Amino acid sequence: MKLLHKPIYMLLIALFCLLILSMGRLFGQKEPVRIAVIRAAESQSEFLAFQEGLYDGAQSQEIRLDMVDASQLHAADLSQLLQQQKKNGCDGVLLLRPEQYVTDSPEAYAEALQDSRLPVCALTYDTDYLVGDSVDGAAGLVDAAYRKWKASGSQAATVIADESDPIAVRLAAEWNQHVSEQVLSKASGAGWSIQCGSTLQPEKAAASDSCMLLAPIQPDYTALAQQQADLLLTVNNYALAYHTIEHLSGRIHGTDVPLHEPDLLILTPETLFDSAQDALIFE
């Protein structure tokens, strides 16, 4: 009888060992780090510029992203939304272009961030929202454009900005800070057309000696391909999103991963379809 029960005992022992092993794996597993990405509900098409970089950055850091759509938030609403992300189990928050959905003053916005109990990083194109841990998506763009213009030897430039585009208005204001009105008023010739914003105005470009398009997000590559513009200055938004996630992950884990300023891309009609540039723009 004892010999007959021995296989049963062995089977029970084996099952017990498997159960212990499974429970060990179950309890040994760590919950993935989670980052809430708060974006403007009305700007889903613009989000595509950052989407691949965000997801690839999250995958490289073994992070789960929770997408949260926001619209018309007062500072108190933003505080509540940040608190809700903590309750939902998130470990950090990325505010993607908060200027698009925060309606209070930058000062009230800054106070809301100070009250947050989570690591928060913002990616913005509005210098008023460069508060605390934040990265400027258009940093250095106008400086690079100004150097290109000066290197050409031209003394004349006409700045054009889409007044409905806050980024374009900002870039035009920065350009005017670089160039004095006296220089422009005394200059002869058509000079350069410095167009700020995603869309080119071809009739004004045609009336100039050269045309440069400044567009940190969603640039009009068609204008360059059709040689309506001579230069396009934009930003590698894939890398910008990727490194911002990398930085925020470092904060969550207590390691120092510095924020990267945007990688600028300076394109011409000849280099637009260059394989090396394609890797930068479309990866």
Side-chain angles (χ1 to χ4, degrees), residues 170-181:
R170 171 205 163 169
L171 296 176
E174 288 186 7
W175 177 271
N176 288 329
Q177 289 176 359
H178 279 76
V179 184
S180 70
E181 294 296 331

Side-chain angles (χ1 to χ4, degrees), residues 17 45 65 87 90-91 125 130 132 184 188 257 267 283:
C17 291
S45 60
L65 298 182
K87 291 179 182 177
C90 288
D91 303 284
Y125 292 87
L130 289 173
L184 295 182
S188 60
V257 180
L267 307 175
E283 66 180 322

Side-chain angles (χ1 to χ4, degrees), residues 161-176 196-197:
D162 178 0
E163 297 296 328
S164 65
D165 181 356
I167 298 177
V169 172
R170 171 205 163 169
L171 296 176
E174 288 186 7
W175 177 271
N176 288 329
C196 304

Side-chain angles (χ1 to χ4, degrees), residues 34 45 47 67 88 96 111 115 125 150 153 158 173 175 186 209 242 245 263 267 272:
R34 292 170 58 190
S45 60
F47 173 72
M67 297 298 164
N88 291 345
L96 189 61
E111 290 180 7
D115 294 337
Y125 292 87
K150 288 293 289 183
T158 303
W175 177 271
K186 295 178 182 179
D209 294 331
Y242 186 100
I245 288 292
D263 296 328
L267 307 175
L272 177 61

Side-chain angles (χ1 to χ4, degrees), residues 94 113 154 209 234 273:
L94 171 60
L113 296 190
S154 175
D209 294 331
T234 187
F273 297 109

Side-chain angles (χ1 to χ4, degrees), residues 47-263:
F47 173 72
L48 296 176
F50 307 99
Q51 178 175 283
E52 192 172 353
L54 290 173
Y55 283 116
D56 283 357
Q59 184 177 15
S60 72
Q61 300 295 316
E62 298 183 348
I63 286 174
R64 174 180 146 187
L65 298 182
D66 294 351
M67 297 298 164
V68 180
D69 292 336
S71 178
Q72 301 294 309
L73 296 181
H74 294 291
D77 301 325
L78 178 61
S79 294
Q80 292 179 1
L81 186 58
L82 294 175
Q83 292 173 10
Q84 187 61 49
Q85 303 319 304
K86 185 172 180 61
K87 291 179 182 177
N88 291 345
C90 288
D91 303 284
V93 176
L94 171 60
L95 300 176
L96 189 61
R97 297 204 64 192
E99 64 270 22
Q100 291 185 321
Y101 49 83
V102 176
T103 57
D104 267 341
S105 67
E107 292 77 16
Y109 164 77
E111 290 180 7
L113 296 190
Q114 290 176 356
D115 294 337
S116 173
R117 296 182 180 180
L118 286 173
V120 179
C121 182
L123 196 166
T124 179
Y125 292 87
D126 189 329
T127 54
D128 288 337
Y129 287 81
L130 289 173
V131 176
D133 193 25
S134 55
V135 58
D136 181 0
L141 194 68
V142 172
D143 289 342
Y146 180 76
R147 290 194 298 270
K148 282 289 182 182
W149 174 68
K150 288 293 289 183
S152 73
S154 175
Q155 292 295 308
T158 303
V159 184
I160 302 165
D162 178 0
E163 297 296 328
S164 65
D165 181 356
I167 298 177
V169 172
R170 171 205 163 169
L171 296 176
E174 288 186 7
W175 177 271
N176 288 329
Q177 289 176 359
H178 279 76
V179 184
S180 70
E181 294 296 331
Q182 291 182 352
V183 171
L184 295 182
S185 63
K186 295 178 182 179
S188 60
W192 283 55
S193 173
I194 313 297
Q195 300 207 19
C196 304
S198 299
T199 305
L200 186 80
Q201 298 184 34
E203 69 284 354
K204 294 182 179 180
S208 64
D209 294 331
S210 297
C211 177
M212 179 162 44
L213 180 63
L214 310 185
I217 186 171
Q218 294 183 306
D220 184 3
Y221 292 112
T222 303
L224 201 63
Q226 296 177 350
Q227 300 188 359
Q228 294 174 325
D230 301 285
L231 281 174
L232 167 63
L233 274 68
T234 187
V235 168
N236 184 343
N237 289 298
Y238 172 92
L240 181 62
Y242 186 100
H243 290 310
T244 303
I245 288 292
E246 190 177 47
H247 164 76
L248 188 51
S249 173
R251 283 190 59 193
I252 292 169
H253 290 100
T255 58
D256 183 17
V257 180
L259 269 172
H260 280 248
E261 285 199 350
D263 296 328

